[in-house]
Amino acid sequence: MKIAICNENISTIEMLENQIEECSKKMGVRVETETFLTPERLVKSVLENRSFHIYILATGMQGISAAQLEQMIRLRNREALFIVVSNSMEQFTNHFDVCNILESYNPYLVRHVIYQAMERFMASKNMFLIKDRKGIYSFPADQIIYFRSNRRKMILCHMTGQIEYYGTIKDTIDKLDTRIFAQINKSDIINLCYVQQSDYKTVLLQTGEPLTLSPVYRNSFLQAYVYLEKKISDQ
């Protein structure tokens, strides 16, 4: 998950990054955070077609307002969620929530809002969509076994067969709930619910197919797998 922070106050930025890290650990989701000290820098990234899943925008910054930023980003990224850091209830068109933290520092409130935004984003990933010239195909996430990269194409293996589509492994992982899916090598993304067993070098799927577990992805795979097992055992 990718989160952008646009704020000129260094102490507020540090507080937000700390709360994001706490939410990341609690949810078992890897989060990449990038900070923009001015609205103009964020606009530059938008014009370069860089996108984030959640934007945390401050009001009261010089230049472009948070409301203008939101509208500009939504033209290119309609699925983005917005959190507004404000000491007033400024009106926004489709913002997710407003977090008043500049006048009264309340880490619990900040963490709660960020956690809700992250949960809402992850909930939107229950279906995986593939678009091509023939139309749009949707697959329930719990019926997908794994994805495999094959040059410029991806192979989606599901309960009743497989389908090829144009895409990259990076674009695919960005569309998935990383509490359920994990990349285990440079070519494969697996659904953790279909793991039968694993060791430090191999992941065996319930289909009987063994897949290589690369050292680069070992820690993130184990963290996600342990989190999912604990969640299932707690239910």
Coordinates of all heavy atoms in Angstrom, one line a residue, residues 76-139:
R76 N -7.3 11.9 -12.0 CA -6.4 10.8 -12.4 C -6.5 9.6 -11.6 O -6.0 8.5 -12.0 CB -4.9 11.4 -12.4 CG -4.7 12.5 -13.4 CD -3.3 13.1 -13.1 NE -3.1 14.2 -14.1 CZ -2.3 14.1 -15.2 NH1 -1.7 12.9 -15.4 NH2 -2.1 15.1 -15.9
N77 N -7.0 9.7 -10.4 CA -7.1 8.5 -9.5 C -8.4 8.5 -8.7 O -8.4 9.0 -7.6 CB -5.8 8.5 -8.6 CG -5.7 7.3 -7.7 OD1 -6.6 6.4 -7.8 ND2 -4.7 7.3 -6.9
R78 N -9.4 8.0 -9.3 CA -10.7 8.0 -8.7 C -10.9 7.1 -7.5 O -11.8 7.3 -6.7 CB -11.8 7.7 -9.7 CG -11.9 8.7 -10.9 CD -13.1 8.4 -11.8 NE -13.2 9.3 -12.8 CZ -14.2 9.3 -13.8 NH1 -15.0 8.3 -13.8 NH2 -14.2 10.2 -14.7
E79 N -10.0 6.1 -7.4 CA -10.1 5.2 -6.2 C -9.3 5.6 -5.0 O -9.4 5.0 -4.0 CB -9.6 3.8 -6.7 CG -10.4 3.2 -7.8 CD -9.9 1.8 -8.2 OE1 -8.8 1.4 -7.7 OE2 -10.6 1.2 -9.1
A80 N -8.6 6.8 -5.1 CA -7.8 7.2 -4.0 C -8.7 7.6 -2.8 O -9.8 8.1 -2.9 CB -7.0 8.4 -4.4
L81 N -8.1 7.4 -1.6 CA -8.8 7.8 -0.3 C -8.0 9.0 0.2 O -6.8 9.1 0.1 CB -8.8 6.7 0.7 CG -9.6 5.4 0.2 CD1 -9.4 4.4 1.3 CD2 -11.0 5.8 0.0
F82 N -8.8 9.9 0.9 CA -8.1 11.2 1.4 C -8.4 11.3 2.9 O -9.5 11.1 3.4 CB -8.7 12.4 0.6 CG -8.3 12.4 -0.8 CD1 -9.0 11.7 -1.8 CD2 -7.2 13.2 -1.2 CE1 -8.6 11.8 -3.1 CE2 -6.8 13.2 -2.5 CZ -7.5 12.5 -3.5
I83 N -7.3 11.7 3.6 CA -7.4 12.1 5.0 C -6.9 13.6 5.0 O -5.9 13.9 4.5 CB -6.6 11.2 5.9 CG1 -7.0 9.8 5.9 CG2 -6.5 11.8 7.3 CD1 -6.1 8.8 6.6
V84 N -7.7 14.4 5.7 CA -7.4 15.8 5.7 C -6.9 16.2 7.2 O -7.7 16.0 8.1 CB -8.6 16.7 5.3 CG1 -8.2 18.2 5.4 CG2 -9.0 16.3 3.9
V85 N -5.7 16.7 7.3 CA -5.2 17.2 8.5 C -5.5 18.7 8.6 O -5.0 19.5 7.9 CB -3.7 17.0 8.6 CG1 -3.1 17.5 9.9 CG2 -3.3 15.5 8.5
S86 N -6.4 19.0 9.6 CA -6.9 20.4 9.6 C -7.3 20.8 11.0 O -7.6 19.9 11.9 CB -8.2 20.4 8.7 OG -8.8 21.7 8.8
N87 N -7.3 22.1 11.3 CA -7.9 22.6 12.5 C -9.2 23.3 12.3 O -9.7 24.0 13.1 CB -6.9 23.6 13.2 CG -6.5 24.7 12.2 OD1 -7.0 24.8 11.2 ND2 -5.5 25.5 12.6
S88 N -9.8 23.0 11.1 CA -11.1 23.5 10.8 C -11.8 22.6 9.9 O -11.2 21.7 9.3 CB -11.1 24.9 10.2 OG -10.4 24.8 8.9
M89 N -13.1 22.6 9.9 CA -13.9 21.7 9.1 C -14.1 22.2 7.7 O -15.2 22.5 7.2 CB -15.3 21.5 9.7 CG -15.2 20.8 11.1 SD -14.5 19.2 11.0 CE -15.7 18.2 10.2
E90 N -13.0 22.3 6.9 CA -13.0 22.8 5.6 C -13.8 21.7 4.7 O -13.7 20.5 4.9 CB -11.6 22.9 5.0 CG -11.5 23.5 3.6 CD -10.1 23.7 3.1 OE1 -9.2 23.8 4.0 OE2 -9.9 23.9 1.9
Q91 N -14.6 22.2 3.8 CA -15.4 21.3 3.0 C -14.6 20.7 1.8 O -13.9 21.4 1.1 CB -16.6 22.1 2.4 CG -17.5 22.6 3.5 CD -18.1 21.5 4.3 OE1 -18.6 20.5 3.8 NE2 -18.1 21.6 5.6
F92 N -14.8 19.4 1.7 CA -14.2 18.6 0.6 C -15.2 17.8 -0.2 O -16.2 17.4 0.4 CB -13.1 17.7 1.1 CG -11.9 18.5 1.7 CD1 -11.9 19.0 3.0 CD2 -10.8 18.8 0.8 CE1 -10.8 19.7 3.5 CE2 -9.8 19.5 1.3 CZ -9.8 20.0 2.6
T93 N -15.0 17.6 -1.4 CA -16.0 16.9 -2.3 C -16.2 15.5 -1.9 O -17.3 15.0 -1.7 CB -15.6 17.0 -3.7 OG1 -14.3 16.4 -3.9 CG2 -15.5 18.5 -4.2
N94 N -15.1 14.7 -1.7 CA -15.3 13.3 -1.5 C -14.3 12.7 -0.5 O -13.8 11.6 -0.6 CB -15.1 12.5 -2.8 CG -16.3 12.7 -3.7 OD1 -17.5 12.4 -3.4 ND2 -16.1 13.2 -4.9
H95 N -13.8 13.6 0.4 CA -12.8 13.1 1.3 C -13.3 12.0 2.2 O -14.4 11.9 2.5 CB -12.2 14.3 2.2 CG -13.2 14.8 3.2 ND1 -14.2 15.7 2.9 CD2 -13.4 14.5 4.5 CE1 -14.9 15.9 3.9 NE2 -14.5 15.2 5.0
F96 N -12.3 11.1 2.7 CA -12.7 10.0 3.5 C -13.0 10.4 4.9 O -14.0 10.0 5.5 CB -11.5 9.0 3.5 CG -11.8 7.8 4.5 CD1 -12.6 6.8 4.1 CD2 -11.2 7.8 5.7 CE1 -12.9 5.8 4.9 CE2 -11.4 6.7 6.5 CZ -12.3 5.7 6.2
D97 N -12.2 11.3 5.5 CA -12.4 11.7 6.9 C -11.6 13.0 7.1 O -10.8 13.3 6.4 CB -12.0 10.6 7.8 CG -12.8 10.6 9.1 OD1 -13.3 11.7 9.5 OD2 -12.9 9.6 9.8
V98 N -11.9 13.6 8.2 CA -11.2 14.8 8.6 C -10.6 14.5 10.0 O -11.2 14.1 10.9 CB -12.1 16.1 8.7 CG1 -11.3 17.2 9.3 CG2 -12.6 16.4 7.4
C99 N -9.3 14.8 10.1 CA -8.6 14.5 11.4 C -8.0 15.8 11.9 O -7.1 16.4 11.4 CB -7.4 13.5 11.1 SG -6.5 13.1 12.6
N100 N -8.7 16.4 13.0 CA -8.2 17.6 13.6 C -7.1 17.4 14.6 O -7.3 17.0 15.7 CB -9.4 18.3 14.3 CG -10.5 18.7 13.3 OD1 -10.2 19.2 12.2 ND2 -11.7 18.3 13.6
I101 N -5.9 17.6 14.1 CA -4.8 17.2 15.0 C -3.8 18.4 15.3 O -2.9 18.3 16.1 CB -4.0 16.1 14.5 CG1 -3.3 16.4 13.2 CG2 -4.8 14.8 14.3 CD1 -2.4 15.4 12.6
L102 N -4.0 19.5 14.6 CA -3.0 20.6 14.7 C -3.2 21.3 16.1 O -2.3 21.7 16.7 CB -3.1 21.6 13.6 CG -2.8 20.9 12.2 CD1 -2.7 22.0 11.1 CD2 -1.4 20.2 12.2
E103 N -4.5 21.5 16.5 CA -4.7 22.2 17.7 C -4.6 21.3 18.9 O -4.2 21.7 20.0 CB -6.1 22.9 17.7 CG -6.1 24.0 16.7 CD -7.5 24.8 16.7 OE1 -8.4 24.2 17.2 OE2 -7.5 25.9 16.3
S104 N -5.1 20.0 18.8 CA -5.1 19.1 19.9 C -4.4 17.8 19.4 O -5.0 17.1 18.6 CB -6.5 18.8 20.4 OG -7.3 18.3 19.4
Y105 N -3.2 17.5 19.8 CA -2.5 16.3 19.4 C -3.1 15.1 20.0 O -3.0 14.9 21.2 CB -1.0 16.5 19.8 CG -0.2 15.2 19.5 CD1 0.1 14.9 18.2 CD2 0.3 14.5 20.5 CE1 0.8 13.7 17.9 CE2 1.1 13.3 20.3 CZ 1.3 13.0 19.0 OH 2.1 11.9 18.8
N106 N -3.7 14.3 19.2 CA -4.4 13.1 19.7 C -3.9 11.9 18.9 O -4.6 11.6 17.9 CB -5.9 13.3 19.7 CG -6.6 12.1 20.4 OD1 -6.1 11.0 20.5 ND2 -7.8 12.4 20.9
P107 N -2.9 11.2 19.3 CA -2.4 10.1 18.5 C -3.4 9.0 18.3 O -3.4 8.4 17.2 CB -1.2 9.6 19.3 CG -0.8 10.7 20.1 CD -2.0 11.5 20.4
Y108 N -4.2 8.7 19.3 CA -5.2 7.6 19.1 C -6.2 8.0 18.0 O -6.6 7.1 17.2 CB -6.0 7.5 20.5 CG -7.1 6.5 20.4 CD1 -6.9 5.1 20.4 CD2 -8.4 6.9 20.2 CE1 -7.9 4.2 20.2 CE2 -9.5 6.0 20.1 CZ -9.2 4.6 20.1 OH -10.2 3.7 20.0
L109 N -6.7 9.2 18.0 CA -7.6 9.6 16.9 C -7.0 9.5 15.6 O -7.6 9.0 14.6 CB -8.1 11.1 17.2 CG -8.9 11.7 16.1 CD1 -10.2 11.0 15.9 CD2 -9.2 13.2 16.4
V110 N -5.7 10.0 15.5 CA -5.0 9.9 14.2 C -4.9 8.5 13.7 O -5.1 8.1 12.6 CB -3.6 10.6 14.3 CG1 -2.8 10.4 13.0 CG2 -3.7 12.0 14.7
R111 N -4.4 7.6 14.6 CA -4.3 6.2 14.3 C -5.6 5.6 13.9 O -5.6 4.8 13.0 CB -3.7 5.4 15.5 CG -3.2 4.0 15.2 CD -2.7 3.3 16.4 NE -1.8 4.1 17.1 CZ -1.9 4.3 18.4 NH1 -2.8 3.8 19.2 NH2 -1.0 5.1 19.0
H112 N -6.7 5.9 14.6 CA -8.0 5.4 14.3 C -8.4 5.8 12.8 O -8.9 4.9 12.1 CB -9.0 5.9 15.3 CG -10.4 5.5 15.0 ND1 -10.8 4.2 15.2 CD2 -11.5 6.2 14.6 CE1 -12.1 4.1 14.8 NE2 -12.5 5.3 14.5
V113 N -8.2 7.0 12.5 CA -8.6 7.5 11.1 C -7.8 6.8 10.1 O -8.3 6.3 9.0 CB -8.5 9.0 11.0 CG1 -8.7 9.5 9.6 CG2 -9.5 9.7 12.0
I114 N -6.5 6.7 10.3 CA -5.6 6.1 9.3 C -5.9 4.6 9.2 O -6.0 4.0 8.1 CB -4.1 6.2 9.7 CG1 -3.7 7.7 9.6 CG2 -3.2 5.4 8.8 CD1 -2.3 8.0 10.2
Y115 N -6.2 3.9 10.3 CA -6.5 2.5 10.3 C -7.8 2.3 9.5 O -7.9 1.3 8.7 CB -6.7 2.0 11.7 CG -6.8 0.5 11.8 CD1 -5.7 -0.3 11.9 CD2 -8.0 -0.1 11.9 CE1 -5.8 -1.7 12.0 CE2 -8.1 -1.5 12.0 CZ -7.0 -2.3 12.1 OH -7.1 -3.6 12.1
Q116 N -8.8 3.1 9.7 CA -10.1 3.0 9.0 C -9.9 3.2 7.5 O -10.5 2.5 6.7 CB -11.1 4.0 9.5 CG -11.8 3.7 10.8 CD -12.9 4.6 11.1 OE1 -12.9 5.8 10.9 NE2 -14.0 4.0 11.5
A117 N -9.0 4.1 7.1 CA -8.8 4.4 5.7 C -8.1 3.2 5.1 O -8.4 2.7 4.0 CB -7.9 5.6 5.5
M118 N -7.1 2.6 5.8 CA -6.4 1.4 5.3 C -7.3 0.2 5.2 O -7.3 -0.5 4.2 CB -5.2 1.1 6.2 CG -4.1 2.1 6.1 SD -2.8 1.9 7.4 CE -2.1 0.3 6.8
E119 N -8.2 0.0 6.2 CA -9.2 -1.0 6.1 C -10.1 -0.9 4.9 O -10.5 -1.9 4.3 CB -10.0 -1.1 7.4 CG -9.4 -1.9 8.5 CD -10.4 -2.3 9.6 OE1 -11.3 -1.5 9.9 OE2 -10.3 -3.4 10.1
R120 N -10.6 0.3 4.7 CA -11.5 0.6 3.6 C -10.8 0.3 2.3 O -11.4 -0.3 1.4 CB -12.0 2.0 3.6 CG -12.9 2.4 2.5 CD -13.4 3.8 2.6 NE -14.1 4.2 1.4 CZ -14.7 5.4 1.3 NH1 -14.8 6.2 2.3 NH2 -15.3 5.7 0.2
F121 N -9.5 0.7 2.2 CA -8.8 0.4 0.9 C -8.7 -1.1 0.7 O -8.9 -1.6 -0.4 CB -7.4 1.0 1.0 CG -6.5 0.6 -0.2 CD1 -6.7 1.0 -1.5 CD2 -5.5 -0.3 0.1 CE1 -5.9 0.6 -2.5 CE2 -4.7 -0.7 -0.9 CZ -4.9 -0.3 -2.2
M122 N -8.3 -1.9 1.8 CA -8.1 -3.3 1.7 C -9.4 -4.0 1.3 O -9.4 -5.0 0.6 CB -7.5 -3.9 3.0 CG -6.2 -3.3 3.3 SD -4.9 -3.3 2.0 CE -4.5 -5.1 2.0
A123 N -10.5 -3.5 1.9 CA -11.8 -4.1 1.6 C -12.2 -4.0 0.1 O -13.0 -4.8 -0.4 CB -12.9 -3.5 2.5
S124 N -11.7 -2.9 -0.5 CA -12.0 -2.7 -1.9 C -11.3 -3.7 -2.8 O -11.5 -3.8 -4.0 CB -11.6 -1.3 -2.4 OG -10.2 -1.2 -2.4
K125 N -10.4 -4.6 -2.3 CA -9.7 -5.5 -3.0 C -10.2 -6.9 -3.0 O -9.5 -7.9 -3.3 CB -8.2 -5.5 -2.6 CG -7.5 -4.2 -2.8 CD -6.0 -4.3 -2.5 CE -5.3 -3.0 -3.0 NZ -3.8 -3.2 -2.9
N126 N -11.5 -7.1 -2.6 CA -12.0 -8.4 -2.6 C -12.3 -9.0 -3.9 O -12.5 -10.2 -4.1 CB -13.4 -8.4 -1.8 CG -13.2 -8.1 -0.3 OD1 -12.1 -8.5 0.2 ND2 -14.1 -7.5 0.4
M127 N -12.3 -8.2 -5.0 CA -12.5 -8.6 -6.3 C -11.3 -8.2 -7.1 O -10.8 -7.1 -7.0 CB -13.8 -8.1 -7.0 CG -15.0 -8.5 -6.2 SD -15.4 -10.3 -6.4 CE -15.8 -10.3 -8.2
F128 N -10.8 -9.0 -8.0 CA -9.7 -8.7 -8.9 C -10.3 -8.5 -10.3 O -10.9 -9.4 -10.9 CB -8.6 -9.7 -8.9 CG -7.4 -9.3 -9.7 CD1 -6.4 -8.5 -9.1 CD2 -7.2 -9.7 -11.0 CE1 -5.3 -8.1 -9.8 CE2 -6.1 -9.3 -11.7 CZ -5.1 -8.5 -11.1
L129 N -10.0 -7.3 -10.9 CA -10.6 -7.0 -12.3 C -9.5 -7.1 -13.3 O -8.4 -6.6 -13.1 CB -11.2 -5.6 -12.2 CG -12.4 -5.4 -11.2 CD1 -12.9 -4.0 -11.4 CD2 -13.5 -6.4 -11.4
I130 N -9.9 -7.7 -14.5 CA -9.0 -7.7 -15.7 C -9.8 -7.0 -16.8 O -10.9 -7.4 -17.1 CB -8.6 -9.1 -16.0 CG1 -7.8 -9.8 -14.9 CG2 -7.9 -9.1 -17.4 CD1 -7.5 -11.2 -15.2
K131 N -9.2 -6.0 -17.4 CA -9.8 -5.4 -18.6 C -9.1 -5.7 -19.8 O -7.9 -5.6 -19.9 CB -9.8 -3.8 -18.3 CG -10.6 -3.4 -17.1 CD -10.5 -1.9 -16.9 CE -11.2 -1.4 -15.7 NZ -11.1 0.0 -15.5
D132 N -9.8 -6.0 -20.9 CA -9.2 -6.2 -22.2 C -10.2 -5.7 -23.2 O -11.3 -5.2 -22.9 CB -8.8 -7.6 -22.5 CG -9.9 -8.6 -22.5 OD1 -11.1 -8.2 -22.6 OD2 -9.6 -9.8 -22.4
R133 N -10.0 -5.9 -24.5 CA -10.8 -5.5 -25.6 C -12.2 -6.1 -25.6 O -13.2 -5.5 -26.1 CB -10.2 -5.7 -27.0 CG -8.9 -4.9 -27.1 CD -8.2 -5.2 -28.5 NE -7.0 -4.5 -28.7 CZ -6.2 -4.6 -29.7 NH1 -6.5 -5.5 -30.7 NH2 -5.1 -3.9 -29.8
K134 N -12.3 -7.3 -25.0 CA -13.5 -8.0 -25.0 C -14.5 -7.6 -23.8 O -15.6 -7.9 -23.9 CB -13.3 -9.5 -24.9 CG -12.5 -10.1 -26.2 CD -12.3 -11.6 -26.0 CE -11.6 -12.1 -27.2 NZ -11.3 -13.6 -27.1
G135 N -13.9 -7.0 -22.8 CA -14.7 -6.6 -21.7 C -13.9 -6.6 -20.4 O -12.7 -6.6 -20.4
I136 N -14.7 -6.7 -19.3 CA -14.1 -6.7 -18.0 C -14.4 -8.0 -17.3 O -15.6 -8.4 -17.3 CB -14.6 -5.5 -17.1 CG1 -14.3 -4.2 -17.8 CG2 -14.0 -5.6 -15.7 CD1 -14.9 -3.0 -17.0
Y137 N -13.4 -8.7 -16.8 CA -13.6 -9.9 -16.1 C -13.3 -9.7 -14.6 O -12.3 -9.1 -14.2 CB -12.7 -11.0 -16.6 CG -12.8 -11.2 -18.1 CD1 -12.1 -10.5 -19.0 CD2 -13.8 -12.1 -18.6 CE1 -12.2 -10.6 -20.4 CE2 -13.9 -12.3 -20.0 CZ -13.2 -11.6 -20.9 OH -13.3 -11.7 -22.2
S138 N -14.1 -10.3 -13.7 CA -13.9 -10.1 -12.3 C -13.7 -11.5 -11.7 O -14.4 -12.5 -12.0 CB -15.0 -9.4 -11.6 OG -16.2 -10.1 -11.8
F139 N -12.8 -11.6 -10.7 CA -12.5 -12.9 -10.0 C -12.5 -12.6 -8.5 O -11.8 -11.7 -8.0 CB -11.1 -13.4 -10.4 CG -11.0 -13.8 -11.9 CD1 -10.6 -12.8 -12.8 CD2 -11.3 -15.1 -12.3 CE1 -10.5 -13.2 -14.2 CE2 -11.3 -15.4 -13.7 CZ -10.9 -14.5 -14.6

